[in-house]
């Protein structure tokens, strides 16, 4: 296990402050955040390239905060991969072994096996400059693994690749992680990549960890900053009242969502949100199964209204829904195949059902402390 | 019909203008070029010695300068340390102080107790070949550090980070990653340093003097022959300097283009 305890580091004017995280052995821990949030500085500090101004880095309980990078056995793969341009593919892959003076045939055989698994064994004599983007990514991964490291620090290694290749490499990384029982800290700003690869996701924004949770829990933002980063726009002020939540802007009252340890007092105003893909849109007049509306959906708090706009995105569509008698509109995400059904004829008498269990409360910094 | 001149043409004309300026200077030398006596000047023992000394001293000074400059440039490029700005500023000394003044400073140093001790125990630098090398070294060292530092600044530190994370020690990383990646740039910097050393005059004449067949380099020979109103002799020395200096640079540029060595 890798543990960060109140780790702080300052590089230039930028500070990553008091980070505490735990990375379980054999898991992929994603550090997710926008550009300039301090992700790279954090991972470079874990690797030993920056001297922390406070806190500790622990590896299996041992304090390695001041250890030199070569003594941490954490292979680092930066965003631009930094393949050594003066070495061939083979020399790049063998670099870790040569640097550590491990020249046995068995270890070289292991390195060859990794190269084989990553489909680059045939490129051994090639110059780095003659590789494609995907081949370079695989060489970088092979170089990191061939040295026998069980911990990988990956800094946005798949950025700059087209979607198809990126997904191919995600599967490959997952497979390698399971096969070699790797512990991986992966940095990314890509939500899909984070949720595809990560077992645990920590959200880093402006040098601060806003939330850190397992993948299923990380889906729900805990504060407005994270919600904004996730691109969630269905956020409204709500008022607690008698175990219910009144969302005035939507003219809607819903049962109190799961608020964990948060103390709900009557009259307290907080932001409440719901993901666009968690909302269910259907035609009130034709509940004929076209949109697969179940009785359970019909029992949910519902808003009636019409569609203002629909933005198709290839695999899905974002619908802007305007409820009747409401000040605000809602963003609803629907699968692409349902778009055509929804617009089969002119439908203005539509409904949006809100699953209460999908609503989440966004806390302020003060509230965070009490949770 | 009025022909419009675009920015690109103006800029190219500017570059060609600079070429014309220097080319005119070189061509104008031929006004005093006399083939009948040039061959005898060229094959004289004094000229051959000057040429040999210039080539030897420039090569020796460049080698020493580059060997010292590489680690210094790496330190300046990668690390923050006390007095770094001061060190960095002093690298410009050969640029802000005239070579003659630089040579005079060396002479003054050798007249101090520490300098006298070096002269007595480590060899004499005044009016000797060692003095020629020292003069050129003092003039080009700062420039060599500056050029090599620029090369190292261009190499992302991430290469070193990756190498360290894969188990390489700092010295292994320096030898196996930093130096090989910088090789092309260091060679390029060395050639420029050599060219600067080859053409060095002020510090050389101040420290080593102008003793024919002893400390007279080609640039010094140009000055001495001009002083003695030997224009034809000076022209031969000038042409020799131009041919060797520009020839080496041109050859390097052609080679580096073929081998893909980066210039910067």
């Amino acid at each position: 296990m890798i543990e960060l305890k109140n780790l702080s580091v300052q590089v230039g004017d930028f500070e990553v402050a008091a980070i505490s995280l735990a990375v379980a052995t054999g898991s992929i821990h994603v550090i997710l955040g926008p550009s300039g949030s301090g992700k790279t500085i954090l991972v470079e500090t874990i690797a030993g390239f920056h001297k922390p101004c406070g806190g500790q880095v622990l590896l299996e309980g041992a304090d390695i905060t001041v250890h030199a990078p070569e003594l941490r056995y954490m292979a680092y793969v930066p965003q631009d991969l930094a393949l050594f341009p003066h070495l061939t593919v083979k020399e790049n892959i063998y670099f870790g072994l040569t640097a550590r003076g491990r020249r046995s045939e068995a270890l070289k055989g292991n390195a060859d096996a990794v190269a084989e698994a990553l489909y680059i064994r045939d490129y051994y004599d090639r110059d780095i400059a003659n590789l494609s983007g995907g081949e370079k990514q695989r060489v970088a991964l092979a170089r990191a693994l061939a040295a026998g490291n069980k911990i990988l620090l990956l800094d946005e290694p798949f950025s700059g690749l087209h979607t198809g290749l990126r997904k191919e490499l995600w599967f490959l990384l997952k497979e390698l992680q399971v096969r070699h029982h790797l512990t991986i800290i992966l940095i990314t700003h890509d939500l899909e990549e984070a949720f595809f690869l990560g077992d645990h996701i920590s959200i880093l924004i402006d040098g601060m960890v806003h939330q850190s949770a397992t993948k299923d829990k990380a889906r729900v933002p805990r504060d407005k900053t994270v919600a904004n980063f996730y691109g969630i726009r269905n956020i409204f002020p709500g008022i607690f009242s008698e175990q219910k939540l009144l969302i005035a802007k939507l003219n809607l009252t819903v049962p109190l969502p799961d608020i964990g340890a948060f103390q709900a007092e009557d009259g307290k105003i907080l932001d409440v949100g719901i993901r666009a893909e968690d909302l269910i849109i259907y035609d009130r007049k034709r509940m004929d199964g076209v949109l697969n509306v179940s009785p359970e959906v019909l029992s949910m708090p519902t808003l009636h209204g019409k569609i203002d706009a629909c933005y198709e995105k290839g695999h899905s569509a974002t619908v802007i829904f305007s409820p009747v008698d409401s000040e605000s509109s809602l963003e609803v995400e629907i699968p692409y195949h349902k778009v055509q059904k929804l617009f089969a004829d002119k439908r203005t008498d539509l409904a949006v059902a809100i699953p209460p269990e999908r609503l989440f409360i966004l806390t302020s910094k003060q509230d965070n402390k009490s949770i | 019909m009025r022909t419009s001149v675009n920015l690109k043409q103006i800029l190219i004309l500017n570059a060609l203008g600079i070429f014309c300026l220097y080319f005119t200077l070189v061509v104008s030398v031929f006004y005093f070029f006399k083939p009948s006596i040039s061959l005898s000047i060229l094959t004289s023992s004094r000229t051959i010695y000057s040429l040999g000394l210039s080539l030897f001293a420039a090569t020796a000074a460049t080698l020493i300068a580059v060997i010292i400059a590489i680690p210094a440039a790496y330190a300046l490029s990668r690390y923050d340390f006390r007095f770094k700005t001061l060190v960095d500023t002093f690298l410009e000394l050969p640029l802000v102080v005239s070579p003659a003044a630089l040579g005079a400073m060396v002479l003054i140093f050798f007249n101090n107790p520490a300098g006298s001790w070096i002269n007595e125990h480590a060899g004499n630098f005044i009016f000797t070949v060692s003095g020629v090398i020292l003069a050129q070294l003092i003039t080009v060292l700062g420039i060599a550090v500056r050029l090599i530092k620029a090369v190292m600044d261009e190499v992302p530190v991430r290469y070193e980070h990756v190498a360290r994370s894969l188990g390489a020690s700092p010295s292994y990383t320096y030898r196996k990653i930093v130096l090989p990646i910088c090789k092309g740039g260091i060679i390029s910097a060395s050639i420029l340093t050599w060219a600067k050393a080859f053409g060095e005059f002020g510090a050389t004449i101040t420290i080593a003097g102008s003793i024919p067949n002893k400390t007279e380099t080609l640039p010094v020979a140009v000055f001495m022959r001009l002083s003695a109103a030997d224009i034809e002799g000076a022209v031969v020395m000038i042409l020799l300097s131009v041919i060797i200096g520009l020839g080496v640079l041109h050859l390097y540029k052609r080679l580096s283009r073929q081998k893909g060595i980066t210039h910067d």
Side-chain angles (χ1 to χ4, degrees):
Chain A
M1 177 180 275
I2 303 167
E3 285 174 272
L4 310 184
K5 286 190 174 173
N6 291 316
L7 190 71
S8 298
V9 62
Q10 182 150 12
V11 176
D13 290 335
F14 191 84
E15 189 182 8
V16 176
I19 304 288
S20 292
L21 292 175
V23 180
T25 303
S27 72
I28 300 183
H29 191 118
V30 173
I31 295 171
L32 177 66
S35 299
S37 58
K39 304 186 298 290
T40 297
I41 291 174
L42 178 63
V43 87
E44 285 180 349
T45 308
I46 298 169
F49 307 138
H50 301 295
K51 194 177 167 190
C53 45
Q56 288 176 302
V57 180
L58 306 176
L59 178 61
E60 306 302 345
D63 189 349
I64 59 162
T65 315
V66 294
H67 283 196
E70 61 269 27
L71 302 176
R72 298 184 182 216
Y73 294 86
M74 296 176 178
Y76 171 59
V77 180
Q79 191 172 351
D80 65 357
L81 307 176
L83 294 172
F84 306 132
H86 59 296
L87 303 180
T88 62
V89 168
K90 184 181 179 181
E91 288 165 339
N92 264 279
I93 292 171
Y94 279 17
F95 183 84
L97 295 177
T98 323
R100 289 208 161 102
R102 296 172 178 172
R103 294 167 205 275
S104 77
E105 288 306 313
L107 288 168
K108 284 182 180 173
N110 289 344
D112 294 341
V114 170
E116 195 84 54
L118 285 157
Y119 314 111
I120 46 168
R121 183 73 176 80
D122 295 337
Y123 305 156
Y124 262 16
D125 296 326
R126 281 210 205 165
D127 284 335
I128 295 303
N130 296 330
L131 298 176
S132 69
E135 288 161 358
K136 283 180 181 169
Q137 306 279 345
R138 293 204 291 268
V139 172
L141 282 175
R143 180 179 62 179
L145 288 172
N149 296 297
K150 290 290 179 191
I151 300 169
L152 300 189
L153 306 175
L154 309 180
D155 184 356
E156 308 216 26
F158 308 122
S159 62
L161 295 178
H162 65 79
T163 312
L165 187 54
R166 217 167 69 229
K167 284 194 173 170
E168 188 186 317
L169 288 166
W170 291 352
F171 281 106
L172 199 58
L173 183 67
K174 271 277 189 194
E175 193 187 317
L176 285 169
Q177 190 259 330
V178 172
R179 190 190 301 170
H180 296 276
H181 195 61
L182 301 171
T183 305
I184 297 175
I185 297 179
L186 175 84
I187 280 180
T188 185
H189 64 271
D190 184 325
L191 291 166
E192 195 186 356
E193 184 170 292
F195 282 90
F196 184 96
L197 290 170
D199 298 309
H200 196 106
I201 296 168
S202 297
I203 316 289
L204 188 74
I205 299 172
D206 290 334
M208 263 175 57
V209 173
H210 281 249
Q211 66 183 62
S212 184
T214 51
K215 177 157 49 184
D216 54 325
K217 288 181 181 161
R219 192 176 176 276
V220 178
R222 268 180 49 183
D223 62 33
K224 212 167 177 176
T225 311
V226 176
N228 286 336
F229 172 65
Y230 279 177
I232 298 170
R233 306 206 313 164
N234 296 329
I235 297 168
F236 310 97
I239 304 168
F240 287 113
S241 176
E242 296 171 355
Q243 294 304 304
K244 287 191 173 174
L245 189 66
L246 171 64
I247 306 171
K249 283 196 170 181
L250 295 176
N251 197 14
L252 181 77
T253 303
V254 294
L256 198 62
D258 179 18
I259 52 171
F262 184 74
Q263 298 297 313
E265 297 159 12
D266 274 5
K268 189 169 178 79
I269 301 172
L270 276 175
D271 286 318
V272 60
I274 188 160
R275 283 178 165 274
E277 61 270 29
D278 288 342
L279 293 169
I280 303 158
I281 190 164
Y282 63 92
D283 186 339
R284 289 171 66 209
K285 289 180 182 168
R286 290 182 56 190
M287 287 176 290
D288 51 5
V290 172
L291 295 167
N292 301 322
V293 179
S294 64
E296 189 194 351
V297 170
L298 296 174
S299 67
M300 290 176 186
T302 302
L303 292 165
H304 302 153
K306 63 181 178 62
I307 289 174
D308 275 350
C310 178
Y311 304 98
E312 295 180 27
K313 299 184 291 186
H315 60 289
S316 66
T318 301
V319 166
I320 307 300
F321 178 81
S322 283
V324 180
D325 300 330
S326 297
E327 287 177 37
S328 300
S329 56
L330 279 166
E331 208 174 272
V332 186
E333 195 80 4
I334 55 173
Y336 186 74
H337 69 274
K338 290 188 175 177
V339 176
Q340 300 305 323
K341 289 177 184 173
L342 194 64
F343 291 98
D345 49 36
K346 200 173 181 182
R347 294 176 182 185
T348 50
D349 197 6
L350 298 168
V352 163
I354 300 171
E357 74 280 5
R358 299 286 187 177
L359 285 165
F360 49 80
I361 302 291
L362 298 172
T363 55
S364 63
K365 277 181 187 173
Q366 272 186 330
D367 299 326
N368 260 327
K369 284 174 190 168
S370 65
I371 291 178
Chain B
M1 190 178 160
R2 195 178 160 192
T3 313
S4 63
V5 181
N6 62 28
L7 181 67
K8 181 182 167 187
Q9 287 168 325
I10 293 169
L11 298 176
I12 291 173
L13 274 173
N14 187 274
L16 287 173
I18 294 168
F19 166 76
C20 286
L21 173 69
Y22 286 121
F23 191 69
T24 306
L25 289 176
V26 174
V27 169
S28 68
V29 168
F30 282 95
Y31 185 75
F32 288 99
F33 182 70
K34 298 217 170 98
S36 53
I37 56 166
S38 291
L39 190 63
S40 61
I41 295 170
L42 198 62
T43 54
S44 70
S45 63
R46 183 181 168 191
T47 304
I48 291 170
Y49 183 87
S50 291
L51 176 62
L53 177 63
S54 287
L55 291 172
F56 169 73
T59 307
T62 301
L63 275 175
I64 298 167
V66 169
I67 289 169
I68 299 170
I70 290 172
Y74 184 70
L76 287 166
S77 173
R78 291 293 189 267
Y79 306 126
D80 279 324
F81 52 89
R82 194 178 288 218
F83 307 126
K84 179 179 173 177
T85 311
L86 194 65
V87 173
D88 205 42
T89 307
F90 263 71
L91 291 178
E92 313 290 2
L93 193 68
L95 292 176
V96 295
V97 174
S98 76
L102 214 55
M105 287 158 76
V106 174
L107 272 184
I108 292 165
F109 170 76
F110 281 121
N111 281 293
N112 286 338
S116 300
W117 187 90
I118 291 171
N119 246 336
E120 280 170 28
H121 296 90
N124 186 16
F125 288 95
I126 310 302
F127 302 128
T128 62
V129 171
S130 306
V132 175
I133 296 170
L134 180 67
Q136 295 185 355
L137 177 64
I138 295 288
T139 314
V140 300
L141 185 58
I143 294 161
V145 175
R146 175 71 67 234
L147 290 171
I148 295 171
K149 180 182 176 290
V151 171
M152 289 174 167
D153 285 343
E154 289 292 311
V155 177
V157 75
R158 284 186 297 281
Y159 288 119
E160 292 151 69
H161 283 171
V162 169
R164 297 286 304 278
S165 82
L166 293 171
S169 65
S171 67
Y172 190 88
T173 304
Y174 180 70
R175 283 183 289 115
K176 299 289 182 182
I177 299 297
V178 178
L179 292 183
I181 290 177
C182 295
K183 189 177 77 179
I186 291 173
I187 292 172
S188 183
S190 304
I191 297 280
L192 291 174
T193 304
W194 185 90
K196 174 77 182 156
F198 185 75
E200 209 295 313
F201 166 73
T204 307
I205 201 166
T206 314
I207 299 170
S210 56
I211 309 165
N213 292 317
K214 192 178 179 191
T215 61
E216 189 185 61
T217 59
L218 273 185
V220 172
V222 171
F223 176 76
M224 294 311 293
R225 285 176 190 266
L226 269 179
S227 305
D230 177 10
I231 307 293
E232 292 81 7
V235 164
V236 171
M237 299 300 116
I238 290 167
L239 288 175
L240 208 51
S241 302
V242 169
I243 289 166
I244 292 170
L246 289 184
V248 167
L249 287 177
H250 184 69
L251 183 70
Y252 171 70
K253 285 186 181 186
R254 283 190 63 178
L255 280 175
S256 61
R257 212 168 291 145
Q258 281 169 12
K259 290 181 181 174
I261 298 172
T262 51
H263 284 271
D264 41 25

